[in-house]
């Protein structure tokens, strides 16, 4: 990868991924693509080039790719699971029509493409615990439908046209920089902000709701390591299960309480979020990622919690 375009560069993952890529490949080699309602600010804006890059406009992506001689695209444009349920047509348009614009550009200009899938690509008939890499994918949300389609279309472009598409299935991502918005796993970020602000946290999911989660540094490392991996070793492409921790609300609460003993939590279950969470696996089996490109996470619930609290306190959120 020499010149990289990040589409969705101001979102939760995009904002940190763009900075990580600039660190690894040089500031001028990583273009932050954004939509006008979410323009980059601060260090993200000042540290390298940025361009309006709306995936649903078929002309914009090829123009940027030509201008900057892009050879790899990280496509992070998507609506998250909860908001996609209220705007299913928009979720499809951004997730799939946008993806096709990216893949067609990649085919024309010979770019590699990373478009993440998610634990949301699974559904209630998927084996729930240690979900295998290759298994039933019949999601019941529009988000999940777009993610399964993303996996299929990305594999299609690889097999049919030789486009170097690769992806992981992200769990809930926990970060101390940019807040997520409209996801089912967002509570696992919000809970840290409440704890650090000495507020009682009201959890929208009930006790015993297990989902896979991951700390942002591991998520960024997964995306970049997979894109750097030796293609000869890849049996799978779109998309790899990755995992580092799985917990229920009472477990993350207990871990935070070890660090902030006065912290309190209540439950007020949101029926939509709960039904989405109930349709997703409790934990994924990431053996294939470990075997095919040496995936290995660094953080568990305990070390992530210490770091999150330290970083949020330092930022005086
Ligand atoms: C969501 O909750 O929608 C996302 C995801 C797990 O893909 N964080």
């Amino acid at each position: 990868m020499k010149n990289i375009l990040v589409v969705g560069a101001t979102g939760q993952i995009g904002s940190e991924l763009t900075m990580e890529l600039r660190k690894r490949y040089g500031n001028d080699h990583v273009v932050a693509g954004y939509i006008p309602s979410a323009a980059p600010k601060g260090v993200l804006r000042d540290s390298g080039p940025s361009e309006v890059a709306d995936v649903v406009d078929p002309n914009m992506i090829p123009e940027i790719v030509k201008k900057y001689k892009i050879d790899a695209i990280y496509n992070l444009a998507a609506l998250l699971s909860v908001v996609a349920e209220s705007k299913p047509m928009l979720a499809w348009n951004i997730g799939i029509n946008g993806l096709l614009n990216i893949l067609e550009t990649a085919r024309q200009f010979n770019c590699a493409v990373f478009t993440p899938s998610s634990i949301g690509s699974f559904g209630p008939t998927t084996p729930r615990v240690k979900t295998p890499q290759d298994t039933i994918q019949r999601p019941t949300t529009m988000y999940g439908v777009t993610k399964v389609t993303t996996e299929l279309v990305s594999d299609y472009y690889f097999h049919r046209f030789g486009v170097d598409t690769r992806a992981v299935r992200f769990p809930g991502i926990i970060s101390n920089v940019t807040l997520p918005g409209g996801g089912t796993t967002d509570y696992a970020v919000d809970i840290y902000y409440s704890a650090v602000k000495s507020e009682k946290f009201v959890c929208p999911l009930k006790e015993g709701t297990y989902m896979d989660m991951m700390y942002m540094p591991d998520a960024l490392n997964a995306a970049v390591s997979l894109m750097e991996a030796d293609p000869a070793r890849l049996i799978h492409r779109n998309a790899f299960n990755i995992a580092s921790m799985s917990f229920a609300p009472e477990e993350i609460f207990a871990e935070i309480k070890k660090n902030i003993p006065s912290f309190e939590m209540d439950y007020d279950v949101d029926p939509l979020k709960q039904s989405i969470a109930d349709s997703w696996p409790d934990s994924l089996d990431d053996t294939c990622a470990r075997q095919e490109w040496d995936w290995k996470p660094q953080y568990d619930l305990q070390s992530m919690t210490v770091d999150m609290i330290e970083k949020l306190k330092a930022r005086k959120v």
Side-chain angles (χ1 to χ4, degrees):
M1 291 185 288
K2 288 192 214 76
N3 296 308
I4 300 167
L5 168 64
V6 181
V7 177
T10 56
Q12 190 209 12
I13 299 176
S15 55
E16 287 188 66
L17 180 64
T18 304
M19 295 310 295
E20 179 64 27
L21 291 168
R22 283 181 176 162
K23 207 160 48 178
R24 293 189 193 213
Y25 300 98
N27 287 348
D28 296 341
H29 294 279
V30 182
V31 181
Y34 63 95
I35 48 168
S37 56
K41 296 190 189 97
V43 68
L44 185 61
R45 180 195 55 211
D46 300 337
S47 59
S50 50
E51 293 280 346
V52 175
D54 189 344
V55 271
V56 298
D57 180 330
N59 301 316
M60 263 184 197
I61 306 297
E63 272 163 26
I64 300 169
V65 165
K66 248 189 286 176
K67 180 172 168 187
Y68 292 92
K69 297 187 173 41
I70 297 294
D71 57 13
I73 305 173
Y74 285 81
N75 170 28
L76 302 172
L79 296 190
L80 291 184
S81 53
V82 176
V83 72
E85 285 307 291
S86 61
K87 299 173 186 170
M89 297 288 283
L90 184 63
W92 180 269
N93 198 27
I94 295 172
I96 304 307
N97 296 333
L99 170 65
L100 287 170
N101 288 334
I102 300 257
L103 290 172
E104 272 304 302
T105 308
R107 176 155 91 104
Q108 203 185 336
F109 294 95
N110 200 19
C111 305
V113 179
F114 175 89
T115 309
S117 184
S118 158
I119 54 172
S121 68
F122 297 113
T125 51
T126 301
R128 220 184 159 77
V129 176
K130 287 272 168 205
T131 302
Q133 172 67 38
D134 300 310
T135 187
I136 301 163
Q137 287 181 285
R138 303 288 294 177
T140 48
T141 61
M142 181 45 106
Y143 181 66
V145 170
T146 65
K147 288 302 179 191
V148 176
T149 309
T150 296
E151 294 187 12
L152 292 172
V153 173
S154 299
D155 268 348
Y156 174 78
Y157 267 73
F158 170 65
H159 291 298
R160 178 82 173 81
F161 303 119
V163 177
D164 185 0
T165 55
R166 309 177 186 193
V168 297
R169 295 178 179 134
F170 276 135
I173 306 295
I174 296 166
S175 141
N176 52 63
V177 181
T178 309
L179 281 164
T184 306
T185 57
D186 293 8
Y187 92 89
V189 180
D190 299 337
I191 192 170
Y192 286 105
Y193 280 78
S194 295
V196 167
K197 289 195 264 183
S198 305
E199 288 168 2
K200 183 184 214 170
F201 181 64
V202 181
C203 185
L205 297 176
K206 64 181 188 222
E207 257 185 44
T209 307
Y210 280 87
M211 284 185 285
D212 262 318
M213 303 279 180
M214 186 171 289
Y215 199 29
M216 184 64 92
D218 280 330
L220 301 181
N221 195 37
V224 181
S225 305
L226 174 57
M227 291 305 275
E228 291 285 358
D230 175 1
R233 287 181 61 199
L234 300 182
I235 297 164
H236 298 86
R237 277 184 170 260
N238 299 281
F240 282 91
N241 282 1
I242 53 170
S244 60
M245 62 186 95
S246 167
F247 55 75
E250 64 276 19
E251 293 174 352
I252 185 171
F253 168 68
E255 197 57 49
I256 295 173
K257 213 170 158 63
K258 280 189 205 159
N259 295 270
I260 304 178
S262 59
F263 186 41
E264 287 179 63
M265 179 170 89
D266 250 354
Y267 292 91
D268 182 11
V269 173
D270 177 315
L272 175 61
K273 288 183 182 170
Q274 188 65 50
S275 73
I276 296 174
D278 287 344
S279 76
W280 290 354
D282 287 0
S283 61
L284 301 193
D285 177 348
D286 61 0
T287 308
C288 293
R290 288 174 187 264
Q291 285 173 349
E292 292 173 41
W293 48 279
D294 306 322
W295 157 245
K296 197 169 181 292
Q298 302 297 318
Y299 286 89
D300 59 12
L301 178 56
Q302 193 185 354
S303 51
M304 174 179 76
T305 298
V306 169
D307 198 63
M308 274 297 281
I309 292 173
E310 195 185 291
K311 297 267 165 54
L312 291 180
K313 278 187 174 164
R315 272 180 48 211
K316 299 193 187 343
V317 294

